[in-house]
Amino acid sequence: MREIKGFHHVTAIAGPAQENLDFYAGVLGLRLVKKSVNQDDPGTYHLFYADAEGHPGTDLTFFPWAQMAPSRDGYGLSSEVSLAVPPGSLSFWSGRLERYGARTSGPEVRFGQSAQPVIDPHGLRIALVESEDSLGRAFTPWDGSPIPVEHQIRGLESARMVERDLVVTTSFLSNAMGFTHLGTEKGWHRYGVADGKSGAHVDLWETPTARRGAWGTGSVHHIAWRVDDEAHQLEMRGRVTEEGARPTPVIDRFWFKSVYFLEPGGVLFELATDGPGFAVDEDRAHLGEALVLPPWLEPNRAAIETRLPPLVTPNATSDR
Ligand code: ZN
């Protein structure tokens, strides 16, 4: 069986879109590589932040649902997403986050890595993690970023998942998806796939007495895993079905093809193809500048545009 390659993207729910853009592009210096709409709710943006080219595994995306209630912590949700930064970068980042009044705690050491937890403007827990392994990953620095190249975020590092019954999920991760146990520390159980390094592991927390978590602003919506191509996607779709999941049919997301399913603990997963990628409909030099719609929504462009709040370039100071 061909392996999953690690994270493809993580999608979360945000509040007002401009505040989301100001934080992720302005403060964290990620590139907005695609400004589109939620294909199931086209009156809502779908904003994609990544490295300069939108490499699979670098991508954090948001549905800004400004009217939604805040999320409720509990099992069956991913409770944090971490982003890889180069070793030695955390003091730079702590200073920058402090200047912007970001809600930070820590720093912490997790599985030997230094981590700076921070809560985004709408309550999403993220962590910047110094990751030696991330230096070997596919990454293109973003010239338009306010962050010096040597400190730029290199991609998704990991995610935390909260489970009511650990074994139900870890058996599924192992049997259906090829994960292995990498270690346990302070109650967190780390499972990795492929090389298990940067962008290819998750940390699980078992909480038998918690209530079910609920989506809302500040929560992760789903975790997407990389498959090579459509054949690999179908192979993995069959595999997760055999292990009891009930995946959707293949859905064409235009920049990649997607299959969704709940892992048995309740976290929404996606299998997403590497291709065709974000440059399929925009020049690489101008990614994210215009509102891009998949072809089947193009006839409704005028109506869609009037429902979306205007977005302006984030106002943030450069540290370059
Ligand atoms: Zn997705």
Side-chain angles (χ1 to χ4, degrees):
M1 183 185 73
R2 280 188 285 171
E3 284 180 311
I4 284 169
K5 299 297 187 296
F7 294 107
H8 185 286
H9 62 270
V10 169
T11 295
I13 302 171
Q18 183 67 49
E19 292 170 14
N20 179 258
L21 179 68
D22 287 345
F23 185 74
Y24 287 95
V27 178
L28 297 189
L30 295 168
R31 184 179 189 187
L32 179 68
V33 291
K34 194 64 68 182
K35 181 165 61 177
S36 190
V37 294
N38 181 319
Q39 293 179 13
D40 305 310
D41 176 17
T44 300
Y45 278 117
H46 192 182
L47 302 178
F48 296 72
Y49 303 96
D51 73 341
E53 295 199 37
H55 280 108
T58 66
D59 192 7
L60 183 58
T61 93
F62 290 90
F63 301 134
W65 274 315
Q67 292 80 13
M68 204 169 185
S71 56
R72 187 180 74 200
D73 285 346
Y75 74 84
L77 284 183
S78 167
S79 59
E80 181 194 81
V81 54
S82 58
L83 302 167
V85 297
S89 292
L90 275 196
S91 57
F92 164 84
W93 278 107
S94 314
R96 185 169 172 88
L97 291 167
E98 192 178 324
R99 279 212 308 290
Y100 281 91
R103 288 178 282 169
T104 57
S105 60
E108 301 174 8
V109 176
R110 302 174 177 179
F111 293 93
Q113 294 176 299
S114 299
Q116 174 61 67
V118 54
I119 298 175
D120 91 351
H122 305 130
L124 180 68
R125 291 186 200 90
I126 60 176
L128 300 177
V129 176
E130 288 192 354
S131 172
E132 184 81 44
D133 296 337
S134 71
L135 301 178
R137 293 173 56 181
F139 168 76
T140 305
W142 167 226
D143 288 341
S145 175
I147 309 300
V149 171
E150 68 270 24
H151 297 311
Q152 285 185 15
I153 291 168
R154 313 283 298 197
L156 299 166
E157 174 72 13
S158 184
R160 286 180 159 181
M161 289 165 50
V162 177
E163 302 289 356
R164 188 168 60 171
D165 183 338
L166 184 72
V167 174
V168 168
T169 291
T170 58
S171 301
F172 180 84
L173 286 175
S174 304
N175 299 335
M177 298 182 68
F179 280 75
T180 55
H181 181 225
L182 300 180
T184 294
E185 182 186 274
K186 298 175 190 162
W188 290 98
H189 305 270
R190 176 161 290 191
Y191 280 75
V193 71
D195 65 8
K197 292 182 177 175
S198 180
H201 56 79
V202 285
D203 292 340
L204 289 84
W205 179 266
E206 186 178 45
T207 174
T209 55
R211 57 187 180 173
R212 180 75 160 95
W215 283 336
T217 50
S219 67
V220 170
H221 186 269
H222 62 268
I223 296 175
W225 301 101
R226 288 177 65 189
V227 289
D228 294 331
D229 51 32
E230 292 170 51
H232 188 198
Q233 185 173 52
L234 289 176
E235 189 183 317
M236 288 305 308
R237 186 180 182 282
R239 190 69 188 261
V240 301
T241 305
E242 278 167 30
E243 295 296 330
R246 294 192 296 170
T248 64
V250 176
I251 299 171
D252 188 356
R253 294 306 190 194
F254 197 54
W255 307 291
F256 40 83
K257 291 215 163 49
S258 298
V259 167
Y260 301 85
F261 58 94
L262 296 173
E263 57 84 17
V267 179
L268 183 59
F269 278 2
E270 174 183 349
L271 303 169
T273 55
D274 273 6
F278 295 119
V280 71
D281 55 2
E282 281 185 297
D283 186 330
R284 276 178 205 283
H286 297 286
L287 291 176
E289 292 175 9
L291 179 71
V292 173
L293 300 176
W296 58 92
L297 287 176
E298 205 49 71
N300 305 329
R301 174 175 283 272
I304 289 171
E305 283 184 340
T306 58
R307 292 172 62 194
L308 294 168
L311 286 179
V312 299
T313 308
N315 176 21
T317 41
S318 177
D319 274 321
R320 293 171 74 124

